[in-house]
Amino acid sequence: MRDDFQKILYGVLIGFVVVLVVWIGYVYVAACGFSLGCERAAAVERTPIPTLPAATLPAPKPAEGQANLTKCRVAAANLIGAWVSAGYPETEPFPFTDADGVACQGTFAEDVAPLFVEANLWYPGAIACSTCHGSNLEAASAQLDLSTYSGIVAGSRRASESAQGTDILGGGVWEDSILYRMLVVDKTMPFGRPPDSPPEGPVIPAGTPQE
Ligand code: HEC
């Protein structure tokens, strides 16, 4: 009686272990096939977003007459040079030839003034000219205010707000100007400019092409 019970108990235990081993084997083979490396379980590269075919909209065509809105491309110092050579007009448009040889027109307010007041323009990380050469003459480097038209024309080393300083525009002859020397020849401005930066400064969009 006791022996029979032991036999049944062992039978059930062994049967249980056999079923367990067969089941684990089945699961392994089902998942990995008959290989020990189980390559099938290797990570598959997936994107977090369901992949859609790239959208292919036709490129928008500029409407008739809007082509004029396309800007010219010109090196920053050459643009200032063209403005100085034209007699540095405050509101009148001035002509310049852009980097692609296209005849263009610009204005002080639209195209020249930003070169003196915008940061990150002459080189990445550059601070704006007007940060050092601001409207507060006492604090301004070289007592030069590059933040307004009247300040630029009034020049540097000014004794007071009303005083006329040293002309930085070479009297309209760009290559003779202090500004040209600082920007193009010595490349000292904006202060901290990397020595390997192009002498004419970065090529920027400015002005409009003339037909
Ligand atoms: C970090 C401050 C700083 C920035 C930014 C800066 N300057 Fe200057 N600038 C100076 C200092 C300081 C002097 C005086 C240098 C000296 O006396 O030798 C000077 C001198 C000049 C002068 C010569 C004035 C004279 O009569 O000698 C000109 C022109 C000039 N800067 C133009 C510019 C222009 C244009 C920019 C922007 C493209 C610019 N500066 C950006 C600090 C700055």
Side-chain angles (χ1 to χ4, degrees):
M1 183 62 200
R2 207 168 155 255
D3 276 359
D4 284 352
F5 180 71
Q6 259 184 350
K7 271 183 200 151
I8 292 168
L9 192 65
Y10 285 145
V12 167
L13 279 180
I14 289 167
F16 180 72
V17 168
V18 167
V19 166
L20 200 67
V21 166
V22 167
W23 185 71
I24 290 175
Y26 169 75
V27 167
Y28 181 86
V29 170
C32 299
F34 290 95
S35 80
L36 284 179
C38 199
E39 286 95 5
R40 267 201 242 163
V44 179
E45 208 155 306
R46 294 186 201 280
T47 53
I49 301 166
T51 322
L52 296 172
T56 48
L57 284 177
K61 290 204 184 69
E64 207 65 49
Q66 243 188 2
N68 276 348
L69 292 180
T70 328
K71 298 231 167 199
C72 301
R73 299 173 341 104
V74 63
N78 292 349
L79 184 63
I80 299 177
W83 171 69
V84 170
S85 303
Y88 41 93
E90 182 173 7
T91 51
E92 284 291 296
F94 64 92
F96 67 93
T97 307
D98 91 344
D100 303 319
V102 178
C104 300
Q105 236 179 33
T107 61
F108 171 76
E110 282 273 318
D111 305 304
V112 177
L115 305 179
F116 297 117
V117 299
E118 270 179 23
N120 279 319
L121 193 135
W122 291 85
Y123 60 90
I127 51 176
C129 308
S130 56
T131 305
C132 297
H133 301 287
S135 55
N136 178 358
L137 275 192
E138 273 171 41
S141 297
Q143 291 76 54
L144 169 63
D145 173 15
L146 292 176
S147 67
T148 61
Y149 177 84
S150 54
I152 295 170
V153 172
S156 62
R157 320 274 171 196
R158 287 157 71 196
S160 70
E161 300 279 334
S162 53
Q164 191 71 19
T166 310
D167 178 18
I168 61 163
L169 302 176
V173 184
W174 175 230
E175 281 81 6
D176 290 351
S177 69
I178 294 177
L179 199 53
Y180 177 78
R181 200 182 71 223
M182 287 294 188
L183 282 174
V184 182
V185 182
D186 299 346
K187 296 204 293 182
T188 31
M189 294 291 144
F191 213 76
R193 189 161 157 196
D196 60 352
S197 73
E200 295 85 18
V203 173
I204 48 156
T208 46
Q210 300 301 294
E211 263 85 14

